[in-house]
């Protein structure tokens, strides 16, 4: 009709972006901290920046910096926490 304005079709509302869970935030924080150690030397049995790291020592160190107490050895680490 004359004098009426056609309205644009209604757009479906975009779903709100999901907020990260506490676990996701912790994982991001751990990853960000771990990235600071790229290029550091591997040292069997190492668990500090001064000595170098092995894999489980690195995990133990990173999470220790975030306030978590993990066992030093990967086999023992695998028995901690909940699934």
């Amino acid at each position: 009709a004359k004098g009426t304005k056609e309205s644009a079709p209604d757009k479906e509302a975009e779903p709100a972006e999901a907020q990260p869970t506490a676990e996701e935030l912790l994982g991001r924080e751990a990853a960000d901290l771990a990235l600071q150690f790229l290029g550091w030397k591997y040292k069997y049995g190492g668990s500090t920046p001064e000595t170098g790291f092995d894999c489980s020592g690195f995990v133990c160190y990173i999470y220790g910096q975030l306030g978590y107490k993990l066992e030093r050895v990967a086999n023992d680490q695998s028995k901690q926490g909940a699934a």
Side-chain angles (χ1 to χ4, degrees):
K2 192 172 186 180
T4 61
K5 209 174 181 184
E6 295 218 12
S7 61
D10 290 336
K11 285 188 174 180
E12 288 187 34
E14 302 248 347
E17 192 170 317
Q19 294 298 312
T21 64
E23 292 83 6
E24 290 169 328
L25 290 173
L26 173 61
R28 290 176 188 176
E29 189 175 2
D32 288 343
L33 179 58
L35 285 170
Q36 297 175 26
F37 294 94
L38 277 177
W40 286 61
K41 68 180 180 173
Y42 176 87
K43 171 72 173 163
Y44 180 79
S47 60
T48 68
E50 294 78 28
T51 62
F53 298 103
D54 68 8
C55 299
S56 56
F58 187 63
V59 170
C60 184
Y61 177 80
I62 294 298
Y63 279 92
Q65 296 302 299
L66 299 174
Y68 292 86
K69 171 76 173 108
L70 292 181
E71 296 296 328
R72 169 63 191 81
V73 179
N75 187 47
D76 296 332
Q77 289 175 0
S78 73
K79 298 172 186 166
Q80 291 185 280

